[in-house]
Amino acid sequence: MNILLASSEVVPFAKTGGLADVCGALPGEIERLGHNISVIMPAYSAIYQTGSRIETLDAILEIPLGKQIIEGRLLRSKLPGTGVTVYFVDHPEYFDRPQLYGELGQDYPDNSERFTFFCRSVLEAIRVLDLKTDLIHCNDWQTGLIPALLRCEYQLNPMYERIVSLLTIHNMAYQGSFWHWDMLLTGLDWQFFNWQQMEHFGRLNLLKTGIAFADAINTVSPTYASEIQRPEQGCGLEGVLQHRANVLSGILNGIDTGVWNPAIDAYLPAHFSGPANGETTVSESDLEAKRICKIRLQSDLQLATEANTPLIGIVGRLASQKGWSLILPVMRNWLANTDAQWVILGTGDPDYHHVLTALERQFPHKLSVTLGFSNELAHRIEAASDIFLMPSEYEPCGLNQMYSMAYGTIPVVRRTGGLADTVVDTTPETIQQKTAKGFVFDEFTGAAMERALRKAVRMYVEERETWTQLMSTGMSHDWSWSASAKQYCELYETTIRNGCQSEAVS
């Protein structure tokens, strides 16, 4: 197969979230399975900060945008550690900016124009570079126009008539919604601006456009694929998703085990690897190495260096979606009344910043808060923590719960999206079957979260043998991209075999 993966961000060249991690890890795995895959993304100024060799190609793109013709260039590099070619669409006026999508909490006002240009550039790059392409793998709203252009405009060109499209939805909350006059920028006929295809409550919606026109759709966990077809998680697009349910599926993300692996992690003061071949539980030396990671982190963050005190880790955005309305009341009570420590890394809502820094001043030996992001500290928190708390309101897939289990840290999560698909709740039955991996609660309430957290702490303190079994089960699981990549290849093959299944063009 010949695959072209289009994304607005790809690790290590540019990143704002999990989208970049997926699009940076999946292509290498697809290549290892014997397929030809290339990646295309915008040429942000950040791409030059990676140290990768980037060459300028002779190819010039002439892109119609409304009544204008905008020129762009193509650059080329390699995805580090692979043979995968990465193409960059270069137009400094659109992409040479401090951030990818906006600044100071505001989106760039011309985002519709920027990513319409990118979508058309992806399709033109196929022609200019003579890229053999069976399927274009689109990702999120920034590439949502590609399936529509492919079906409504490019299908008449013999070079494109057999190309099919797959749209992966990483988060339904981000949809690329713009005023209706931006329809003129797309170059598509106004007939497509209707409630079944590109229009949503009077606005141009690029995620809806991709859903309506793509030959296949998937999202980043099986549970999330089901959830987004209901009003609670569909973000207003559940109707069009229900209509396309026959081509909608879910594939769990994996993690990059070349980076997230406690046996080789360069950020850790001691290494551990989980059960070896033939063993059923982590060794005493592994437990000692994890204890060293914990003591060192406690010391460096000026927490009380107490190896037996439960350490609860949280890494991620300080946003309501991540459950902070549940966490803060419980944390206040626990800091005053419970023998447990908290370590937090993240940034987000300024109100949460103020509350957390005040609590840290009040309880400096029980709470450490780092506002911002540090890759090194993220790795160290995963390795040192006993419990990782992730009470998300919704979570399309989630990676931190998988990082945690790979590092012998027990997750406490809400049953939603990818959290439901990856964390097996601890019950008498799952303990006996040795399938338990964490603690799961259902209701999005502080009381439900606290019950699960207390259950976890009680087991950590009183049932260490069972706790070690949970660690062993999580560390023994294959969290790598290999299984997910095989599922993507199957989806690619099915989509290509079925050909153009879109019902969007009458």
Side-chain angles (χ1 to χ4, degrees), residues 9-11 15 17-26 399 403 481:
E9 53 185 85
V10 178
V11 163
K15 175 180 176 176
L19 167 64
D21 292 315
V22 173
C23 295
L26 179 59
L399 294 174
Y403 298 154
W481 266 103

Side-chain angles (χ1 to χ4, degrees), residues 297-317:
L297 185 70
Q298 288 173 321
S299 176
D300 289 349
L301 297 180
Q302 299 182 320
L303 297 171
T305 51
E306 299 172 354
N308 293 324
T309 297
L311 180 62
I312 302 166
I314 305 174
V315 177
R317 286 183 296 115

Side-chain angles (χ1 to χ4, degrees), residues 218-264:
N218 84 299
T219 189
V220 291
S221 71
T223 294
Y224 194 58
S226 175
E227 290 174 339
I228 61 177
Q229 295 180 62
R230 301 193 293 270
E232 297 82 2
Q233 301 280 0
C235 301
L237 297 183
E238 58 275 5
V240 68
L241 287 162
Q242 291 167 13
H243 183 66
R244 305 296 322 278
N246 63 315
V247 293
L248 171 62
S249 61
I251 298 175
L252 268 172
N253 290 337
I255 67 174
D256 187 344
T257 52
V259 175
W260 289 94
N261 183 342
I264 58 173

Side-chain angles (χ1 to χ4, degrees), residues 196-198 207-214 217 240 244 502-504:
Q196 291 178 306
Q197 296 170 324
M198 300 180 73
L207 183 62
K208 180 176 181 177
T209 299
I211 294 168
F213 286 91
I217 309 153
V240 68
R244 305 296 322 278
S502 171
E503 300 176 11

Side-chain angles (χ1 to χ4, degrees), residues 183-200:
M183 186 70 186
L184 295 171
L185 293 172
T186 71
L188 294 175
D189 194 283
W190 277 101
Q191 68 171 310
F192 301 114
F193 190 77
N194 63 72
W195 68 274
Q196 291 178 306
Q197 296 170 324
M198 300 180 73
E199 178 267 340
H200 189 243

Side-chain angles (χ1 to χ4, degrees), residues 296-367:
R296 184 74 64 83
L297 185 70
Q298 288 173 321
S299 176
D300 289 349
L301 297 180
Q302 299 182 320
L303 297 171
T305 51
E306 299 172 354
N308 293 324
T309 297
L311 180 62
I312 302 166
I314 305 174
V315 177
R317 286 183 296 115
L318 306 184
S320 58
Q321 179 233 321
K322 297 297 184 180
W324 278 96
S325 62
L326 313 186
I327 297 170
L328 283 176
V330 172
M331 182 186 295
R332 283 194 187 94
N333 178 45
W334 279 44
L335 287 169
N337 301 300
T338 301
D339 185 21
Q341 296 176 343
W342 302 70
V343 56
I344 296 163
L345 170 65
T347 185
D349 189 325
D351 290 341
Y352 295 140
H353 290 197
H354 297 321
V355 173
L356 287 169
T357 51
L359 285 171
E360 184 183 36
R361 286 193 298 270
Q362 188 177 358
F363 300 97
H365 299 303
K366 297 181 77 173
L367 171 63

Side-chain angles (χ1 to χ4, degrees), residues 361-375:
R361 286 193 298 270
Q362 188 177 358
F363 300 97
H365 299 303
K366 297 181 77 173
L367 171 63
S368 170
V369 178
T370 302
L371 298 176
F373 184 74
S374 162
N375 192 38

